[in-house]
Amino acid sequence: MMQQEIIHSLTHWIDENLDKALSIDEVAAKSGYSKWHLQRMFRTVTKQTLGGYIRERRLTLAAEALRQTQRPVFDIAMQYGYDSQQTFSRVFRRQFSQTPTAYRHNMRRQAMIQRPRLLSFGCTENMNSFAQRTTGECCPVR
């Protein structure tokens, strides 16, 4: 139980510092444990490596930034600790099976498909026919 609390506290600290250069040595120093013992304890509690956790969290935040901003891929790569856009793209593709640019494009297209278009034409009648829904003319000409 104590190991879980230690790792939970440490993952919280890691999450708060993902935009900084984090090495396993630095995380170990923060934890007060040897690098070897920390990595063993981390894997026991989380079922993944410490390095894998940091990489996965950074990629998740980078994917979120790609989806929600217009910032260049290069800027996002630098923010999350990658030394080049090429390295970031390679690691991102390994995780998400597509390049960062393709991911951004696909996520935006998906959002457009899922977001209902709300059209308001000031009509109170239901728009039942295809023509009414596509033209926006809900009040038939009489």
Side-chain angles (χ1 to χ4, degrees):
M1 190 64 158
M2 188 167 162
Q3 280 187 344
Q4 289 176 332
E5 291 171 15
I6 291 165
I7 298 303
H8 175 74
S9 173
L10 192 60
T11 56
H12 180 74
W13 179 83
I14 290 169
D15 289 348
E16 296 295 314
N17 291 281
L18 285 171
D19 58 343
K20 298 177 181 78
L22 288 178
S23 68
I24 292 177
D25 289 329
E26 184 179 354
V27 176
K30 172 69 178 164
S31 74
Y33 291 96
S34 73
K35 185 167 68 169
W36 180 85
H37 185 69
L38 174 63
Q39 290 184 90
R40 194 169 146 263
M41 188 170 44
F42 195 92
R43 187 171 186 94
T44 300
V45 172
T46 66
K47 308 295 185 244
Q48 70 181 131
T49 65
L50 177 56
Y53 175 80
I54 293 169
R55 188 171 32 263
E56 189 176 294
R57 291 294 297 136
R58 282 185 171 151
L59 284 172
T60 299
L61 293 174
E64 192 174 299
L66 287 167
R67 243 187 356 263
Q68 297 177 352
T69 71
Q70 295 289 335
R71 291 177 50 222
V73 173
F74 176 81
D75 291 355
I76 293 170
M78 295 298 115
Q79 178 182 355
Y80 291 105
Y82 291 90
D83 55 2
S84 72
Q85 185 172 335
Q86 292 76 16
T87 302
F88 172 66
S89 293
R90 184 175 54 251
V91 173
F92 192 94
R93 184 179 199 134
R94 198 176 304 139
Q95 178 76 24
F96 294 98
S97 302
Q98 55 189 326
T99 65
T101 304
Y103 177 85
R104 173 180 269 169
H105 177 75
N106 290 333
M107 288 295 114
R108 291 204 175 134
R109 186 175 52 201
Q110 207 172 62
M112 292 301 291
I113 291 168
Q114 291 174 352
R115 186 179 311 133
R117 285 189 21 201
L118 299 176
L119 302 175
S120 176
F121 298 101
C123 297
T124 57
E125 295 180 28
N126 290 333
M127 295 203 290
N128 295 322
S129 77
F130 175 76
Q132 288 171 329
R133 289 191 307 273
T134 56
T135 63
E137 295 179 16
C138 58
C139 303
V141 178
R142 297 179 193 194

